[in-house]
Amino acid sequence: PSPLAGSQQVFGFVRFVVCAVVLSLEMAEKAGAALSVEDQISEQEAKPMTADEKKFFDAALASLTKEQQTKFASVPLDVLLIVRGFANEEKRMEETLKATQHIAEWRDKVGYYEFFEKHLEGDSQFHKVWPEYICGTDKYGHFVQGIRIGEIDTDELLKLDEEQLLRLQGQKMKSYAVYKQDLSKASGVQRYKHTMLVDLHNISMSMLMGKKKNLLKKIFDIGSTYYPETMFKIYLINAPLVFRAIWAVIKPWLHPITVAKVNLLGSSKEALKKFELDGLPASQVPKWLGGTYEPVLCFDYVSQLIAEKRPHAS
């Protein structure tokens, strides 16, 4: 072959290699972009228990009394959530066992396994002064919990018996767990997390001070302490400027996964755009945030479970 032909062959080969490398890099970039933090979390959430997790699962159950073991093991996912919730702890085994025992003791104390046998004392008043809503689902299948801060009457909350109030909050959180369980069965994909939409319109700064602040913290702590690993994303809508300023300062200090969960947004119009980008269409967003979804009052759902006398592990 002539020198020219040889040069053309070399050039052709080099071009082929360069194109292959560029294509490979583009595919890698697309794959990396596609696998967002939310994708990773949802992928992990859907996976069954691993062999490594099974060791912690068995140890957690073994740390309980025989009666507690039987009750806890009736819904294996409950134990797995604790195992996954403490996966990044330095003393993972110790913290996992401690949390399992603490949750088991709380369940015995509040009558967790009989939550839907009858209406609890003061439930209608509790849900009246702290209404919450069950909205649609996102693209992953997570249900959306809605809270309108302006509807929460903290003055009336303070009048309720605190121990009973926290028990009612526990019942509410269990109703959400049952709702997610039913969604998972219907879709065939394990989903134990959910998204929270919090409308901060008409928020009173007095809610963040003194006795009111302490009570609100205790209420929210019920979820984080006794229902671990259940929050997917939190959207704070109609956030005042003070919230945005505080968030701008602390955001760089937080883990990327934590940052991905919390979104401070301005108006409902701005929020709808963000929801759409995150896979939550307007058809699944409540009407009071500009969507078209007709939400269900949490109290109505709890009442439905009680009417059915929904047994644990069903």
Side-chain angles (χ1 to χ4, degrees):
S2 68
L4 179 60
S7 298
Q8 289 176 335
Q9 288 178 343
V10 171
F11 176 74
F13 176 73
V14 171
R15 184 174 63 181
F16 170 77
V17 171
V18 170
C19 288
V21 170
V22 170
L23 180 61
S24 176
L25 288 173
E26 287 180 347
M27 290 177 66
E29 287 177 0
K30 288 179 180 178
L35 200 61
S36 65
V37 173
E38 290 84 357
D39 290 336
Q40 294 175 47
I41 293 172
S42 298
E43 186 179 278
Q44 171 64 22
E45 178 186 8
K47 289 180 179 178
M49 179 163 43
T50 65
D52 180 60
E53 289 174 334
K54 185 67 163 59
K55 293 184 293 185
F56 293 90
F57 179 97
D58 291 341
L61 281 179
S63 72
L64 305 176
T65 67
K66 291 295 183 183
E67 185 178 356
Q68 289 173 335
Q69 284 179 32
T70 301
K71 290 178 178 178
F72 236 123
S74 63
V75 181
L77 181 60
D78 287 357
V79 187
L80 180 59
L81 293 189
I82 301 174
V83 171
R84 289 184 174 177
F86 290 85
N88 296 319
E89 292 292 326
E90 185 177 346
K91 298 180 178 179
R92 183 181 179 185
M93 182 63 79
E94 180 182 330
E95 294 301 324
T96 300
L97 302 189
K98 188 189 301 182
T100 304
Q101 293 163 9
H102 184 55
I103 293 172
E105 290 168 2
W106 174 79
R107 288 184 170 193
D108 291 341
K109 179 182 177 182
V110 301
Y112 174 89
Y113 298 101
E114 296 82 39
F115 267 162
F116 303 128
E117 289 188 358
K118 62 180 180 180
H119 280 279
L120 300 181
E121 182 181 347
D123 61 353
S124 61
Q125 178 64 6
F126 168 65
H127 285 274
K128 179 181 178 182
V129 300
W130 185 303
E132 290 187 10
Y133 303 87
I134 295 175
C135 307
T137 56
D138 66 13
K139 67 178 181 180
Y140 301 104
H142 301 113
F143 103 85
V144 177
Q145 169 193 5
I147 300 177
R148 306 180 76 177
I149 292 295
E151 292 184 342
I152 298 176
D153 190 334
T154 48
D155 290 321
E156 289 300 317
L157 278 175
L158 286 172
K159 296 177 182 178
L160 300 178
D161 177 76
E162 184 176 303
E163 186 173 326
Q164 185 64 5
L165 185 155
L166 297 180
R167 188 180 181 214
L168 287 162
Q169 178 67 8
Q171 182 196 52
K172 179 199 296 179
M173 293 301 299
K174 185 178 181 182
S175 76
Y176 291 150
V178 172
Y179 191 76
K180 287 180 281 188
Q181 172 187 303
D182 289 348
L183 285 178
S184 296
K185 286 180 179 178
S187 69
V189 179
Q190 179 171 269
R191 288 289 175 245
Y192 47 75
K193 295 178 182 290
H194 69 274
T195 286
M196 182 190 294
L197 305 184
V198 184
D199 183 1
L200 296 171
H201 181 62
N202 285 333
I203 187 173
S204 168
M205 296 310 293
S206 68
M207 296 176 69
L208 306 178
M209 296 183 284
K211 291 182 179 180
K212 292 181 180 180
K213 181 192 74 173
N214 293 335
L215 181 60
L216 291 177
K217 183 179 183 304
K218 289 179 181 179
I219 291 174
F220 283 113
D221 279 350
I222 293 292
S224 59
T225 302
Y226 303 114
Y227 296 86
E229 199 64 9
T230 56
M231 190 56 63
F232 181 61
K233 292 182 79 71
I234 300 172
Y235 295 94
L236 303 177
I237 304 101
N238 293 313
L241 289 177
V242 64
F243 275 82
R244 290 169 173 264
I246 293 172
W247 180 245
V249 172
I250 67 173
K251 185 177 179 179
W253 307 341
L254 303 176
H255 191 282
I257 291 179
T258 303
V259 171
K261 287 185 179 181
V262 183
N263 297 266
L264 261 71
L265 305 172
S267 66
S268 297
K269 186 176 181 180
E270 177 189 338
L272 283 173
K273 293 179 181 178
K274 174 62 176 171
F275 296 158
E276 190 71 36
L277 288 173
D278 289 353
L280 179 60
S283 62
Q284 305 299 303
V285 176
K287 291 182 176 180
W288 40 268
L289 279 176
T292 60
Y293 194 88
E294 191 65 57
V296 175
L297 275 168
C298 179
F299 184 49
D300 289 344
Y301 180 62
V302 170
S303 297
Q304 176 188 322
L305 295 177
I306 293 171
E308 298 170 358
K309 292 193 179 298
R310 180 72 174 255
H312 184 69
S314 66

